[in-house]
Amino acid sequence: GEHVKPFTPEKAKEIIMSLQQPAIFCNMVCDWPSRHWNATHLSEVLRGKQMRFRMGMKSISTVPQFETTCSYVEATLEEFLSWNCDYSSLSGPFRDYDHSKFWAYADYKYFISLFEDKTDIFQDVKWSDFGFPGRNGRESTLWIGSLGSHTPCHLDSYGCNLVFQVQGRKRWHLFPPEDTPLLYPTRIPYEESSVFSKINVVNPDLKRFPEFRKAQRHTVTLSPGQVLFVPRHWWHYVESIDPVTVSINSWIELEEDHLARVEEAITRMLVCALKTAENPQNTRAWLNPTEVEETSHEVNCHYLNGAVSALFDHYRTSKVRETQALGTNTEPTKEEELNVNSHMGQTYSQNSTKGAVKPETASPFGPGLVPVTQRSEEQYSEGGGGLFECDGKDLDDKDGEQIGKLHCARRHQMISHSEDAIMEQIASNRTTAPSKTFISTDDLLDCLVNPQVTRIVAQLLIQGRMCCHLF
């Protein structure tokens, strides 16, 4: 008979917009044509299409392998498969990369660019099954990697994430937003939408980053046919653990993104100003390769003003809709407009508990939705190490009842926005070497664009511009 999916689109969206912990959706994509998009199939669809592969070292260093330290190769999928599968290719774009020492990753490949002359293929991805009508491949990104390919630990500034695993398996290491101080955040390399961790979370240097011991690591091995939900601001490190992996993802926009864009514009202006002044001739040393927009001060000022204007426009429109729905005056009062700052400022404190499944609410977990659990058995040596296996057995629980009970309580509140909490987080970013007295530009930026600091700066900026912008 016809396969019945465990959740209707409406219920799936309700879960996505309310749950605040990572979870695996099972049996939701069995009828998607993209279920069969393995790398061989895609190489035929994209025959002759050049794409950029990021080349990284298969190493066990305690230092994260950021994208700025990788090499890049322009190649077709056929050439990638030849290099990756038979190891015999001594010519072509991969000839300088020994397969035993390097991995390759075609990451962040937006469908709209990759399949620009094959737009019908967008319909093979049906995010509408998760409650987002009309959302398909047009709003999606493709990832193809070899064994060992990975993204360094980071959080996404905007939205939440749905990730569909098509071929091979990927291991995900996730950490909740309240662990941000323990992950030692940095904006170098700079990318507008990403905050990176200074730590290689699979081989951490605990002498330099001792607070990481307290981090709440959640792990899962994502297998073909499964869809991972990554809530807003959850840190994640993702690695391919099979010879070839193919994934499709889509970032879902959230209400909180409007304020986040102001914070990101502030960060962009400060990072670009200081780093460009430090070395005008070498932006590649600090600018992530995915960041291709112009970084001049004039452009960044325009970007900041646009983000602030968009936030006020969104708030004004929201208030009009709200008053229309209530059948009252459609024009916001001055008192209501003056509350815009407090309204936007509450976004983050509300988001810290928003999505936690309330104890009195029936657990959504079961065969169709399995929570990603925290691992407590991890042991580290002083010099790093501690990588452990996760074979996905946590997805085998039939009814999910016991797992659900462990994760239905409200999550801890995110770190307080008080000055004490900010100072504690800034202090945690300092290295422990007492002999290091030189303060670099990066050290200063770690304080100036600390996520907690930019949040307060954004709120002060909004408050200062309220009257002249709204009236």
Side-chain angles (χ1 to χ4, degrees):
E2 183 179 355
H3 176 79
V4 179
K5 298 185 178 184
F7 303 106
T8 64
E10 295 75 20
K11 182 61 178 178
K13 183 175 183 180
E14 178 186 329
I15 291 171
I16 290 168
M17 303 307 287
S18 64
L19 192 63
Q20 201 201 338
Q21 67 180 98
I24 301 290
F25 283 94
C26 303
N27 303 314
M28 287 290 288
V29 297
C30 54
D31 61 343
W32 289 19
S34 53
R35 175 74 185 269
H36 307 289
W37 281 16
N38 59 36
T40 302
H41 170 76
L42 288 170
S43 70
E44 295 170 357
V45 173
L46 296 167
R47 185 172 297 277
K49 179 81 172 184
Q50 293 274 322
M51 61 180 68
R52 189 170 70 160
F53 288 83
R54 177 159 57 95
M55 308 301 296
M57 292 287 294
K58 294 179 179 179
S59 65
I60 56 173
S61 171
T62 58
V63 179
Q65 198 165 169
F66 292 123
E67 293 166 55
T68 49
T69 64
C70 293
S71 302
Y72 291 85
V73 164
E74 296 289 332
T76 65
L77 271 181
E78 298 99 311
E79 291 168 328
F80 162 74
L81 290 173
S82 176
W83 170 80
N84 186 58
C85 297
D86 61 27
Y87 314 153
S88 61
S89 178
L90 299 178
S91 60
F94 295 98
R95 61 184 176 275
D96 296 328
Y97 298 93
D98 185 337
H99 184 274
S100 66
K101 298 179 181 179
F102 288 88
W103 48 258
Y105 206 6
D107 49 3
Y108 299 100
K109 304 307 176 193
Y110 290 93
F111 276 44
I112 200 165
S113 299
L114 199 61
F115 302 105
E116 55 187 345
D117 55 346
K118 300 179 177 65
T119 54
D120 289 346
I121 210 169
F122 292 166
Q123 307 306 318
D124 288 4
V125 180
K126 304 179 179 180
W127 298 115
S128 55
D129 285 349
F130 289 86
F132 302 95
R135 196 178 194 93
N136 54 38
R138 182 177 293 277
E139 297 84 17
S140 302
T141 310
L142 184 69
W143 310 68
I144 303 172
S146 65
L147 179 66
S149 59
H150 65 269
T151 53
C153 189
H154 68 285
L155 67 80
D156 298 320
S157 305
Y158 307 131
C160 59
N161 199 359
L162 287 174
V163 185
F164 167 33
Q165 193 63 27
V166 180
Q167 179 183 0
R169 297 169 300 156
K170 280 186 172 179
R171 183 178 292 118
W172 285 71
H173 303 251
L174 302 111
F175 304 86
E178 61 263 29
D179 281 0
T180 292
L182 312 179
L183 272 293
Y184 297 82
T186 181
R187 297 312 299 260
I188 304 298
Y190 173 75
E191 180 180 86
E192 181 198 342
S193 59
S194 300
V195 181
F196 290 101
S197 169
K198 296 180 181 179
I199 304 170
N200 180 353
V201 298
V202 296
N203 190 30
D205 182 345
L206 295 177
K207 290 183 178 179
R208 186 179 180 194
F209 306 112
E211 292 298 303
F212 181 65
R213 294 177 184 275
K214 304 174 186 176
Q216 307 167 77
R217 185 192 300 261
H218 295 61
T219 60
V220 70
T221 299
L222 194 65
S223 299
Q226 297 175 339
V227 174
L228 174 65
F229 165 62
V230 182
R232 184 174 191 266
H233 283 185
W234 271 72
W235 292 83
H236 47 283
Y237 172 99
V238 191
E239 56 182 336
S240 297
I241 60 173
D242 279 328
V244 180
T245 61
V246 177
S247 307
I248 298 171
N249 88 295
S250 189
W251 287 283
I252 308 298
E253 301 82 6
L254 297 173
E255 179 75 18
E256 297 88 345
D257 291 348
H258 294 283
L259 182 57
R261 293 190 187 282
V262 177
E263 296 175 9
E264 286 296 282
I266 294 169
T267 299
R268 180 184 184 88
M269 180 174 288
L270 290 173
V271 171
C272 292
L274 286 179
K275 293 301 290 185
T276 301
E278 179 184 62
N279 191 344
Q281 282 76 40
N282 187 17
T283 59
R284 293 181 61 85
W286 58 271
L287 197 63
N288 219 40
T290 53
E291 192 68 27
V292 296
E293 295 181 7
E294 187 181 346
T295 59
S296 71
H297 188 69
E298 180 182 2
V299 168
N300 291 338
C301 283
H302 179 75
Y303 186 83
L304 175 59
N305 279 277
V308 172
S309 296
L311 181 142
F312 281 118
D313 290 344
H314 169 76
Y315 178 75
R316 187 183 297 108
T317 302
S318 298
K319 292 301 294 182
V320 168
R321 289 174 180 169
E322 180 181 328
T323 52
Q324 286 177 337
L326 295 174
T328 58
N329 177 23
T330 59
E331 290 297 323
T333 66
K334 179 176 291 190
E335 181 178 340
E336 288 174 330
E337 288 181 321
L338 285 173
N339 285 332
V340 62
N341 188 58
S342 60
H343 171 78
M344 291 299 177
Q346 289 171 0
T347 299
Y348 285 89
S349 58
Q350 290 172 349
N351 190 59
S352 64
T353 54
K354 168 190 167 187
V357 182
K358 297 180 180 179
E360 63 271 16
T361 304
S363 168
F365 301 126
L369 183 72
V370 184
V372 177
T373 57
Q374 182 179 345
R375 298 293 182 178
S376 59
E377 67 269 29
E378 198 164 2
Q379 298 294 325
Y380 291 116
S381 64
E382 285 301 314
L387 176 61
F388 57 88
E389 293 297 320
C390 173
D391 58 8
K393 290 182 180 178
D394 52 331
L395 300 184
D396 294 338
D397 186 73
K398 295 291 184 185
D399 54 18
E401 181 178 359
Q402 185 61 36
I403 299 176
K405 289 179 180 177
L406 294 174
H407 291 270
C408 285
R410 273 184 196 275
R411 292 208 58 83
H412 299 300
Q413 288 282 350
M414 288 176 66
I415 188 169
S416 167
H417 296 167
S418 68
E419 292 183 5
D420 289 345
I422 295 171
M423 294 306 296
E424 178 182 346
Q425 184 174 356
I426 292 173
S428 72
N429 282 334
R430 295 181 300 187
T431 63
T432 57
S435 60
K436 183 179 179 180
T437 57
F438 173 73
I439 297 177
S440 68
T441 304
D442 291 357
D443 293 330
L444 179 60
L445 282 170
D446 283 341
C447 300
L448 290 177
V449 295
N450 180 286
Q452 296 289 336
V453 174
T454 53
R455 186 169 307 163
I456 290 178
V457 172
Q459 291 171 354
L460 290 171
L461 185 64
I462 292 165
Q463 186 178 28
R465 298 298 298 169
M466 246 189 320
C467 294
C468 62
H469 198 96
L470 288 176
F471 305 114

